[in-house]
Amino acid sequence: MISPIGWIIIWIGIAFDILGAIGLVRFPDIYNRLQASTKCVTLGTFGIMVGIFLLKGFSPIGIKALICGGFLLLTSPVAAHALMKGALHFGTKMWHGSVVDKYGEDKLGGEQIEKGAK
């Protein structure tokens, strides 16, 4: 009974990873791309790891999948946050269609939204 659930979770994880890859290609600036890729790939890859654990159980490969999933859940959002903060401090502007930049107003002395063609 646990095997079909594991395969369903793996396929949901693959769908999340594909959506993250599409967001990485389609979104206009680094901030939107990082958001799409981090959220989707973290959840998608964690889903794949949980699915592998459900298929393999408490075997060495199942335990390794759980450890990798936990490590990914802890490190991926932190890395994306560091990349976004670094991009802001190096002056990378947000897409001109961005509406609000509260961080830029509060911490950097003004909005960091690209002025340009709309």
Side-chain angles (χ1 to χ4, degrees):
M1 180 60 195
I2 206 82
S3 180
I5 294 172
W7 281 109
I8 289 171
I9 291 174
I10 287 174
W11 282 108
I12 290 172
I14 290 171
F16 269 96
D17 280 349
I18 290 172
L19 290 174
I22 291 171
L24 189 63
V25 173
R26 296 284 302 175
F27 283 159
D29 64 356
I30 186 170
Y31 307 106
N32 290 320
R33 288 178 181 165
L34 271 172
Q35 178 188 1
S37 64
T38 302
K39 288 180 180 177
C40 290
V41 170
T42 300
L43 285 176
T45 307
F46 182 71
I48 292 171
M49 295 297 155
V50 169
I52 290 172
F53 172 73
L54 290 177
L55 290 177
K56 298 297 180 182
F58 284 101
S59 66
I61 194 166
I63 298 297
K64 288 176 188 173
L66 265 189
I67 291 171
C68 288
F71 183 74
L72 185 73
L73 275 181
L74 292 176
T75 58
S76 183
V78 174
H81 177 79
L83 285 172
M84 283 193 192
K85 197 166 183 177
L88 266 176
H89 284 283
F90 277 111
T92 304
K93 300 287 185 188
M94 292 182 182
W95 177 52
H96 60 80
S98 300
V99 178
V100 175
D101 179 19
K102 290 291 186 189
Y103 184 83
E105 289 175 3
D106 292 344
K107 302 286 183 180
L108 301 175
E111 287 185 341
Q112 301 297 310
I113 298 174
E114 179 183 55
K115 305 290 183 216
K118 285 192 174 186

